[in-house]
Amino acid sequence: MGSNEQAYVQEAFDSNWVAPLGPNVNLFEKALEDYVQEDVHVAALSSGTAAIHLALELLGVTSGDLVLCQSFTFSASANPILYLGAQPVFIDSEEKTWNMSPELLEKAILDCSAKGKKPKAIVAVHLYGMPYMADEITAIGKKYNIPIIEDSAEALGSKYKGKNCSSLGDLGILSFNGNKIITTSGGGALVSKNLEHKQRAVFLATQARDNAPHYQHSVVGYNYRMSNVLAGIGRGQMEVLEERVKARRANHEFYKQHLEHISGITFLAEPEGFFSNRWLSCILLPDYETREKIRLALLEDDIESRPLWKPMHMQPVFEANLSYTNGVSENLFERGLCLPSGSNLVEEDLKRILALILKTI
Ligand SMILES: *Cc1c(COP(=O)(O)O)cnc(C)c1O
């Protein structure tokens, strides 16, 4: 936590706005809008997953539809597609950013359309904070008139050609889960340049109550709004967001400086115009065995590290779903390791991690 979170939570108690609406919610949304810029409107929600669910619904995704989704991601990018009775079609990654391959995306669109099932939406992800190839992906979305949901859950503070992530797609989503770059313990947001999107999202997130003195409902709603207590934490966290980005990038810089020259260890570079918040610092090892050797050596010393995300097209739950693959994400999953990346790591921690890696490799 930064310094003012508790004071903003106290404001919620003092004013008795202990509900999923109130001044902290409005001020947190305003702080996010000011940060992201590009004239976006933000709806604060109970989670990033809820934000993806509402984004899909706003785009009219419904039972039987196909939605193209990045395979190399956390399962929350894909699960809401199934909540709506639609089916994800998984798209593998390219090697420059580890995100959705524009080539495979276009191939999937052409294939599905040829079978008479034009996909309804695209879920592209800025994984580990690295922006996806936005010019290429956006151009494909435009060419085939398929809207893009920009999963920026891991990418608050990241930029693409000077623009903040979450403002690049037709709809953006953010997450403030406990493990993200800033947190409200649990929370998320929907980001859109269209005010009607925000209004509709808030309406659906508060049980879709019609304008009447009694409780009247014409469509199915959800209980997805953010609590005013948690939004107080969010307001405080916005004040330290830039510090957090700096700290995460400094972790990455430390690992890179000391490990880059070791044969067999590689890092994902920031291409020109890409700015990553480096939410997690990841390394690639020559093979699975070396990766496991390092992971287990760290674990032996009570240091948690983790393999990169297991691609969705390899997950048992999505076994039956279509996928367009090229081996990139499978290879990353096999050889990649997320190193300790918290913004509260001190030099002593980093040195201890480094020494173990150097001793083990
Ligand atoms: C965390 C995360 C989500 C979901 O956010 P929650 O707030 O945990 O529901 C979605 N997509 C990605 C890529 C994430 O990392």
Side-chain angles (χ1 to χ4, degrees):
M1 291 290 104
S3 42
N4 291 330
E5 286 85 347
Q6 255 183 332
Y8 296 136
V9 169
Q10 191 61 44
E11 280 181 22
F13 279 72
D14 291 343
S15 60
N16 210 23
W17 279 105
V18 181
L21 78 166
N24 278 339
V25 172
N26 300 338
L27 289 166
F28 182 39
E29 288 177 345
K30 173 80 169 57
L32 285 162
E33 287 165 0
D34 290 345
Y35 182 85
V36 173
Q37 302 185 323
E38 311 302 327
D39 295 324
V40 295
H41 304 280
V42 172
L45 300 168
S46 55
S47 71
T49 310
I52 298 174
H53 190 180
L54 292 179
L56 290 162
E57 178 147 344
L58 288 176
L59 295 175
V61 171
T62 179
S63 185
D65 284 342
L66 296 183
V67 175
L68 304 169
C69 180
Q70 186 163 320
S71 183
F72 193 43
T73 186
F74 176 49
S75 64
S77 304
N79 282 334
I81 299 168
L82 286 120
Y83 302 169
L84 287 161
Q87 288 299 321
V89 174
F90 293 110
I91 311 292
D92 214 324
S93 294
E94 33 76 15
E95 279 172 321
K96 208 167 105 181
T97 75
W98 297 358
N99 293 310
M100 186 178 269
S101 154
E103 211 173 299
L104 288 181
L105 173 65
E106 185 156 29
K107 183 169 190 287
I109 293 172
L110 291 172
D111 263 14
C112 294
S113 302
K115 289 183 217 145
K117 289 229 42 128
K118 185 180 162 193
K120 209 58 181 281
I122 297 165
V123 180
V125 187
H126 307 298
L127 211 63
Y128 301 119
M130 181 64 78
Y132 58 72
M133 291 172 65
D135 281 350
E136 291 81 354
I137 300 282
T138 308
I140 293 171
K142 284 218 166 74
K143 181 172 170 189
Y144 297 98
N145 198 19
I146 304 175
I148 297 169
I149 296 172
E150 184 195 356
D151 182 341
S152 309
E154 302 177 2
L156 184 58
S158 297
K159 292 176 176 55
Y160 177 81
K161 297 192 175 172
K163 290 195 173 155
N164 279 292
C165 287
S166 82
S167 72
L168 307 168
D170 294 272
L171 286 161
I173 75 97
L174 295 167
S175 167
F176 313 110
N177 194 32
N179 59 343
K180 297 304 198 293
I181 192 142
I182 61 163
T183 182
T184 58
S185 80
L190 185 88
V191 181
S192 173
K193 288 177 187 145
N194 183 342
L195 180 59
E196 279 166 29
H197 277 155
K198 173 181 173 167
Q199 290 164 339
R200 184 76 184 164
V202 170
F203 168 76
L204 290 171
T206 49
Q207 306 288 21
R209 210 182 144 192
D210 293 342
N211 193 8
H214 54 277
Y215 278 80
Q216 162 114 356
H217 309 272
S218 310
V219 296
V220 174
Y222 305 93
N223 183 4
Y224 276 173
R225 196 72 163 123
M226 179 178 276
S227 149
N228 193 58
V229 177
L230 300 186
I233 304 177
R235 279 179 68 196
Q237 287 275 280
M238 285 307 286
E239 295 171 6
V240 294
L241 172 56
E242 283 309 285
E243 270 169 47
R244 298 291 186 266
V245 173
K246 277 206 187 92
R248 299 260 171 174
R249 284 180 63 88
N251 288 338
H252 187 268
E253 207 42 51
F254 178 93
Y255 289 130
K256 198 170 135 195
Q257 222 174 57
H258 294 93
L259 293 172
E260 197 176 34
H261 61 282
I262 307 282
S263 138
I265 302 186
T266 51
F267 288 80
L268 180 65
E270 257 170 352
E272 173 99 32
F274 290 66
F275 179 88
S276 169
N277 66 11
R278 297 291 190 187
W279 173 59
L280 296 188
S281 285
C282 308
I283 54 173
L284 292 181
L285 287 315
D287 47 46
Y288 171 81
E289 287 71 27
T290 317
R291 199 280 306 282
E292 277 304 275
K293 208 167 69 179
I294 291 176
R295 188 180 70 79
L296 294 171
L298 291 171
L299 192 62
E300 184 81 6
D301 208 25
D302 271 337
I303 299 171
E304 188 187 25
S305 66
R306 223 175 266 179
L308 302 192
W309 296 120
K310 180 172 184 173
M312 291 308 113
H313 72 268
M314 296 171 73
Q315 299 284 358
V317 63
F318 297 122
E319 225 166 45
N321 288 95
L322 260 183
S323 60
Y324 290 81
T325 59
N326 55 13
V328 170
S329 62
E330 283 194 46
N331 185 267
L332 291 169
F333 172 57
E334 221 172 82
R335 295 165 49 214
L337 191 65
C338 302
L339 297 176
S341 303
S343 31
N344 55 355
L345 287 173
V346 295
E347 178 129 347
E348 195 188 328
D349 300 325
L350 290 165
K351 283 189 168 151
R352 196 177 131 215
I353 298 159
L354 178 69
L356 273 168
I357 296 174
L358 291 172
K359 199 176 89 184
T360 311
I361 190 152

